[in-house]
Amino acid sequence: MLKIVSVVGARPQFIKAAAVSRVLRSTEGVKEILVHTGQHYDANMSDVFFEELEIPRPDYNLGIGSGTHGAQTGKMLEAIEKVLLEEKPDWVLVYGDTNSTLAGALAAVKLHIPVAHVEAGLRSFNRHMPEEINRVLTDHASDLLFAPTKTAVMNLRHEGIPEERIKLVGDVMYDAALFYGKMAEGQSQILNKLGLKPKEYILATVHRAENTDDPVRLKVIFDALCEIAGEIKVVLPLHPRTREALIKSGMYDKVASAICLTEPVGYLDMVMLEKNARLIATDSGGVQKEAFFYRVPCVTLREETEWVELVELGWNILLNPVFCDIVTVIENILEQFNKMDLNAYKQSSAAKKIIAYLIDDVI
Ligand code: UD1
Ligand code: UDP
């Protein structure tokens, strides 16, 4: 029996792990032990995904919670190590680029347990982002690197990662979008609940540290979204980090009166909000891609992105909040966005390929 410990902890990891776990658990001869670090813990940042996406209950919930990078990652490292010593798995599977990813990879590699990284090779080349450090270190600690795109493969080659460790498998978030996208259509009531008509609103999300922790950027972004809300409804499921930043900066009341703020929503509601939006404005990695999956024009409220193909194809527009006129760009796009039909991320069955490689590598 091949034993795999999967480490998750933050919202996007639940979605990625849901796609992989579904296939993993239906594969004979493979046993998954699920570890939740507790990095995200509010019901609408964690439980809702386990329930809706039918992710099995974690075998271990480490309950680490929030903290500074060092404290949070350090506590996770210690707690994950204990689990690994107890479980002695054949593989540790980590996802994406959060502190939970790095802690999982580091705990495993120090115990000489093979590590597989899903969403390997993404780079923003901005070392100020905590995610960039997590990605680079996790990739270099990993034995199998599951790259979602050709660009990711090239990035890993340039960093000298041995070719045999790199596997181009496609994007697990596309697997999730295909599988749960259909479910969302049947189950989500969010449009009715918020009184939204298809293509008559903009969907926005903001949560990156670089935007929330910089008062100038936070103000520029939310001033722009409030101004746009005068022309077309703006719906924004609010990440707890951003809620705190808006309250701290004294902007919350103004924003709440201009924009339709909601609590973070479950994945099925999010899919419906994305599919039916006229435009998406976001600093999220996952949401940028989902905009493309559902062919919704997207502006990314950042200076750079790891998902460069979408920008190169003209599908996603990077908007440095400080130097660009967000309102004018969005108005222009709303007027004349040229729909294209492109296939950059449309490689499905990433989850199946990942599991085949894990089995192959051990046999
Ligand atoms: C983390 C990831 C980021 C990812 C994001 C997905 C790191 C360094 N960052 O950022 O890459 O894009 O998750 O959403 O790992 N909080 C709550 N309730 C929760 C979780 C967080 O109130 O359930 C608040 C706390 O005040 C906390 C803050 O949000 O301090 C930030 O949470 P944290 O997990 O440290 O980082 P994220 O910004 O969520
Ligand atoms: N998401 C969600 N509810 C929300 C906001 C986002 O289900 O209120 C989903 C979104 O559809 C995507 C993932 O969470 O699949 C992206 O996570 P997030 O933006 O938190 O992190 P990132 O992808 O930037 O790391």
Side-chain angles (χ1 to χ4, degrees):
M1 178 71 73
L2 184 75
K3 197 185 212 185
I4 299 174
V5 165
S6 301
V7 179
V8 295
R11 174 166 69 188
Q13 292 166 330
F14 307 139
I15 296 157
K16 290 163 201 171
V20 176
S21 288
R22 220 170 41 80
V23 179
L24 213 153
R25 287 172 191 245
S26 66
T27 309
E28 232 173 274
V30 181
K31 179 176 165 60
E32 183 184 40
I33 307 285
L34 190 59
V35 177
H36 185 334
T37 63
Q39 177 170 350
H40 286 174
Y41 44 86
D42 290 345
N44 56 25
M45 294 292 287
S46 176
D47 293 357
V48 64
F49 299 98
F50 283 80
E51 284 154 20
E52 273 188 346
L53 309 184
E54 294 170 342
I55 309 170
R57 274 175 73 85
D59 298 276
Y60 295 87
N61 195 327
L62 308 178
I64 303 296
S66 306
T68 60
H69 287 285
Q72 188 184 50
T73 314
K75 283 184 203 157
M76 287 176 189
L77 185 57
E78 191 177 355
I80 296 169
E81 184 177 63
K82 282 197 189 117
V83 174
L84 299 183
L85 285 169
E86 169 90 19
E87 294 290 347
K88 299 184 179 55
D90 299 293
W91 281 105
V92 169
L93 194 56
V94 295
Y95 294 87
D97 54 16
T98 73
N99 289 347
S100 299
T101 316
L102 177 62
L106 213 48
V109 74
K110 295 264 183 160
L111 293 173
H112 306 142
I113 299 170
V115 184
H117 183 202
V118 178
E119 260 191 17
L122 298 179
R123 297 290 181 266
S124 66
F125 302 102
N126 174 357
R127 289 260 177 153
H128 287 290
M129 289 177 73
E131 293 86 358
E132 183 74 355
I133 305 298
N134 292 341
R135 290 177 196 126
V136 171
L137 296 180
T138 301
D139 283 342
H140 284 260
S142 295
D143 299 274
L144 264 184
L145 296 98
F146 295 124
T149 61
K150 287 182 190 150
T151 310
V153 171
M154 293 305 290
N155 290 337
L156 294 170
R157 283 185 187 146
H158 285 148
E159 290 176 20
I161 304 270
E163 194 63 34
E164 65 274 13
R165 293 191 190 177
I166 307 171
K167 310 292 175 194
L168 176 63
V169 295
D171 191 341
V172 290
M173 290 199 81
Y174 187 58
D175 285 14
L178 286 180
F179 187 81
Y180 298 107
K182 286 193 199 103
M183 211 188 261
E185 297 276 356
Q187 289 189 22
S188 170
Q189 295 300 321
I190 191 80
L191 298 186
N192 282 342
K193 211 170 121 194
L194 298 178
L196 299 172
K197 296 213 175 75
K199 303 299 164 190
E200 290 189 7
Y201 64 92
I202 288 179
L203 175 68
T205 77
V206 179
H207 79 278
R208 289 276 160 207
E210 73 212 58
N211 286 333
T212 59
D213 296 4
D214 177 338
V216 174
R217 291 175 78 104
L218 188 74
K219 184 166 173 8
V220 169
I221 290 171
F222 277 92
D223 280 351
L225 293 176
C226 288
E227 194 179 330
I228 292 160
E231 294 171 39
I232 177 169
K233 200 163 186 171
V234 176
V235 179
L236 192 149
L238 193 57
H239 190 287
R241 167 184 214 112
T242 318
R243 177 182 296 276
E244 277 174 34
L246 288 174
I247 292 170
K248 203 170 138 206
S249 71
M251 292 173 69
Y252 183 85
D253 289 343
K254 180 194 160 192
V255 170
S257 65
I259 294 177
C260 172
L261 292 181
T262 72
E263 291 292 312
V265 296
Y267 183 66
L268 302 183
D269 283 346
M270 189 63 182
V271 166
M272 282 308 274
L273 287 173
E274 289 171 340
K275 276 187 171 179
N276 291 286
R278 174 104 158 258
L279 177 141
I280 293 177
T282 188
D283 61 6
S284 157
V287 176
Q288 279 173 61
K289 281 181 297 162
E290 286 161 358
F292 174 75
F293 298 156
Y294 304 126
R295 299 296 189 264
V296 177
C298 182
V299 294
T300 295
L301 303 165
R302 289 179 48 196
E303 277 144 63
E304 72 285 301
T305 178
E306 304 73 39
W307 305 98
V308 288
E309 290 86 348
L310 298 183
V311 177
E312 283 158 10
L313 294 169
W315 195 263
N316 184 1
I317 293 180
L318 281 179
L319 251 182
N320 180 334
V322 179
F323 297 112
C324 299
D325 180 348
I326 300 177
V327 176
T328 307
V329 175
I330 289 184
E331 281 172 350
N332 285 344
I333 298 172
L334 287 178
E335 267 168 34
Q336 34 111 349
F337 199 85
N338 178 22
K339 288 208 167 188
M340 291 176 276
D341 190 20
L342 305 161
N343 291 309
Y345 293 86
K346 292 195 87 177
Q347 193 182 12
S348 66
S349 307
K352 279 191 188 140
K353 288 177 198 143
I354 286 171
I355 287 145
Y357 279 122
L358 291 174
I359 294 172
D360 254 19
D361 221 74
V362 165
I363 291 166

